[in-house]
């Protein structure tokens, strides 16, 4: 097993670390305080090649490896955790539309997605279907050359700003997982309404509900004839490792900042860094983050080799946010009163990272997936 980044990966990493620290970090708090993110800021990610990593070259992407997407998540997470949402959703849309969309749909959506001009949300969760997503009730009813979509999706990242949403819906009342289809729905279509929530964190993402009342879309916007639920789970699998790396990036940046601070800050005549009670905390969190990071890249590496990675991705999604939350919390406290002030980023980072401890599968569901992979499907209560 090759156990290092190659030259391309290293220079991509260095370029994004510079961008994250110089361009994203100084504005991190702005979007938390209600200022709306200008769309050109998202286009910058397109210009840097971040949003087209999983888009085919014929549509303006680079068809890069999942490892590159992981590097992008970790480095961007250092500057502004929430910008990794644009990456995550672009990766998912590129895979789902790239693999299952018609050539016309691919040509219509993917170039704009790669440039950061088109934002595609992912609409699975409903009021009565979160962890148990297959219990969803949104309906897609075939009517001639169209499908008519009715239902409501909840807690959708980018609900306030997305141009399209991949909506998972029960097709013509068919039961079970096989009865779920995936549809690319333009959010400008008549019958779509949006509501943006007052979120604890990740405010930039304008998370909210999308309602569909008799929304008529061309039948060709269905993504493949097979189970949309299986497609959704395939997309989740590797995005779970991406989420872990985004969380680890935010935590590693916090740790780096705290190392510098504890070298400077003196109590009782000595720098905090000389106290083992302080330095050992840094050592422990650095070790935990390193373990979670290796797990996440391992999951992505397996994906790039075309090998199973469900277990590793779920492990990374459980361990990454947990390790990150614990590390950021310690960094906040090690800064004393100033860590609890909004002029420093620790409180916001904590609130933001907790969002993706829940999103894409809670810790309990991740442990359920890991246990299912260990025991086998006959010993699971998950679908
Ligand atoms: C910031 C954020 C962004 C999100 N973005 C999106 C998005 O873009 N698109 C989208 O479709 N969804 C999105 N979601 C929704 C997210 O995927 C769901 O919130 C998540 O899957 C959990 O579902 P739920 O909230 O309905 O909780 P529930 O399923 O009701 O679970 C509630 C609690 O019970 C626990 N629990 C549930 N079942 C079990 C069990 N069998 N055993 C033990 N414990 C259990 C859970 O771990 C959780 O703690 C987002 C959520 C957040 C917070």
């Amino acid at each position: 097993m090759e156990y290092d980044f190659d030259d391309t990966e290293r220079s991509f990493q260095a370029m994004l670390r510079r961008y994250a620290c110089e361009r994203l970090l100084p504005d991190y708090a702005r979007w938390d305080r209600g200022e709306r993110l200008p769309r050109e800021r998202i286009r910058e990610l397109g210009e840097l090649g971040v949003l087209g990593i999983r888009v085919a070259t014929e549509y303006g992407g680079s068809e890069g490896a999942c490892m590159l997407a992981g590097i992008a998540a970790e480095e961007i997470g250092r500057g502004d955790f929430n910008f990794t949402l644009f990456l995550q959703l672009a990766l998912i849309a590129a895979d789902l539309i790239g693999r299952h969309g018609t050539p016309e749909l691919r040509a219509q959506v993917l170039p704009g997605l790669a440039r950061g001009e088109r934002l595609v949300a992912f609409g699975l969760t409903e009021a009565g279907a979160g962890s148990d997503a297959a219990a969803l009730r949104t309906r897609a009813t075939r009517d001639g050359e169209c499908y008519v979509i009715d239902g409501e999706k909840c807690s959708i990242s980018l609900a306030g700003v997305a141009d399209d949403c991949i909506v998972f819906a029960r097709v013509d009342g068919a039961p079970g997982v096989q009865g779920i289809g995936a549809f690319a729905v333009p959010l400008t279509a008549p019958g779509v309404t949006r509501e943006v929530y007052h979120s604890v964190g990740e405010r930039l993402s304008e998370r909210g509900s999308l309602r569909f009342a008799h929304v008529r879309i061309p039948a060709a916007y269905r993504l493949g004839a097979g189970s949309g639920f299986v497609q959704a789970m395939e997309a989740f699998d590797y995005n779970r490792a991406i989420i872990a790396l985004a969380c680890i990036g935010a935590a590693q940046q916090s740790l780096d900042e705290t190392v510098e601070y504890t070298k400077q800050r003196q109590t009782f005549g000595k720098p905090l860094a000389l106290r083992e009670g302080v330095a050992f905390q840094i050592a422990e969190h650095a070790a935990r983050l390193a373990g979670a990071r290796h797990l996440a890249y391992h999951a992505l590496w397996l994906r790039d080799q075309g090998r199973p990675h469900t277990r590793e991705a779920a492990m990374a999604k459980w361990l990454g946010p947990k390790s990150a939350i614990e590390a950021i919390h310690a960094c906040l406290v090690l800064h004393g009163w100033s860590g609890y002030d909004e002029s420093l980023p620790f409180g916001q980072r904590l609130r933001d990272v907790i969002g993706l401890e829940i999103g894409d599968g809670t810790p309990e569901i991740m442990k359920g997936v890991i246990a299912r992979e260990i025991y086998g499907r006959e010993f699971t209560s998950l679908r």
Side-chain angles (χ1 to χ4, degrees):
M1 178 176 167
E2 188 74 44
Y3 214 75
D4 199 1
F5 293 153
D6 62 22
D7 287 347
T8 313
E9 289 163 340
R10 259 194 295 274
S11 60
F12 189 61
Q13 180 187 41
M15 180 268 289
L16 286 179
R17 184 160 312 176
R18 250 192 331 275
Y19 177 76
C21 292
E22 292 169 10
R23 180 76 171 142
L24 299 180
L25 189 54
D27 283 339
Y28 180 45
R30 271 176 73 187
W31 325 120
D32 190 49
R33 296 189 185 130
E35 204 175 323
R36 213 159 187 225
L37 183 76
R39 282 296 275 257
E40 60 263 25
R41 297 295 294 261
I42 305 168
R43 284 197 283 275
E44 286 177 9
L45 293 184
E47 283 159 22
L48 291 169
V50 166
L51 301 177
I53 291 176
R54 298 297 289 167
V55 173
T57 48
E58 64 178 305
Y59 300 116
S62 59
E63 278 176 67
C66 294
M67 286 289 279
L68 271 186
I71 291 168
E74 185 177 0
E75 296 309 323
I76 291 169
R78 280 176 168 264
D80 186 330
F81 178 77
N82 300 312
F83 270 66
T84 71
L85 291 167
F86 302 118
L87 165 68
Q88 289 173 41
L89 288 157
L91 294 170
I92 291 175
D95 271 2
L96 288 180
I97 296 174
R99 278 210 246 157
H100 305 288
T102 60
E104 293 73 26
L105 188 68
R106 294 202 295 263
Q108 206 176 310
V109 177
L110 296 180
L113 185 83
R115 288 195 298 268
E117 289 166 3
R118 197 154 180 163
L119 299 178
V120 182
F122 181 83
L124 181 64
T125 302
E126 299 179 4
S131 301
D132 185 9
L136 64 82
R137 299 177 67 170
T138 294
R139 299 185 308 279
T141 311
R142 186 74 190 240
D143 181 15
E145 286 309 298
C146 291
Y147 278 102
V148 179
I149 312 284
D150 283 285
E152 178 173 351
K153 294 292 173 181
C154 300
S155 186
I156 306 304
S157 299
L158 311 188
V161 285
D163 303 288
D164 308 87
C165 182
I166 298 175
V167 174
F168 294 85
R170 205 156 280 295
V171 183
D172 293 325
V177 163
Q178 293 305 326
I180 297 172
F183 300 85
V185 180
L187 296 178
T188 47
V192 177
T193 49
R194 315 175 191 230
E195 176 199 343
V196 175
Y197 303 157
H198 298 283
S199 290
V200 168
E202 296 188 16
R203 292 181 178 145
L204 169 155
S205 87
E206 301 199 24
R207 189 174 62 101
S209 289
L210 294 170
R211 292 191 195 91
F212 303 91
H214 300 300
V215 176
R216 186 170 280 276
I217 57 164
Y221 287 8
R222 180 168 181 183
L223 301 176
S227 168
F229 190 73
V230 173
Q231 293 171 21
M233 293 306 122
E234 281 169 11
F236 269 161
D237 252 6
Y238 99 91
N239 194 48
R240 286 177 173 158
I242 299 288
I243 287 177
L245 286 163
C247 297
I248 291 163
Q252 189 63 54
Q253 180 67 22
S254 302
L255 217 57
D256 293 352
E257 289 162 3
T258 307
V259 167
E260 287 313 307
Y261 177 75
T262 53
K263 284 197 240 168
Q264 308 302 325
R265 175 73 173 171
Q266 302 220 353
T267 64
F268 306 99
K270 276 188 184 173
L272 287 175
L274 283 176
R275 313 278 177 194
E276 288 181 346
V278 170
F280 283 12
Q281 286 189 57
I282 298 288
E284 282 184 21
H285 290 295
R288 288 198 189 114
L289 291 178
R293 177 184 292 111
H294 283 301
L295 198 46
Y297 280 118
H298 183 53
L300 295 176
W301 180 83
L302 287 171
R303 167 93 177 199
D304 284 333
Q305 310 307 307
R307 287 167 53 182
H309 53 284
T310 300
R311 176 184 7 202
E312 290 74 11
M315 286 177 172
K317 171 68 170 66
W318 170 66
L319 195 59
K322 177 177 158 57
S323 310
I325 288 165
E326 289 168 1
I328 298 168
H329 177 239
C331 292
L332 186 155
V333 175
L334 284 172
H335 277 75
W337 67 263
S338 62
Y340 198 58
D341 194 87
E342 284 195 350
S343 59
L344 292 181
F346 306 111
Q348 187 187 348
R349 285 195 189 127
L350 260 187
R351 287 187 282 109
D352 287 348
V353 167
I354 288 170
L356 287 191
E357 188 182 30
I358 303 169
D360 245 8
T362 65
E364 288 69 39
I365 296 306
M366 290 307 100
K367 285 183 261 186
V369 172
I370 299 164
R372 185 184 67 198
E373 293 293 307
I374 293 170
Y375 282 103
R377 285 187 174 263
E378 62 275 35
F379 291 102
T380 185
S381 58
L382 302 181
R383 288 177 211 233

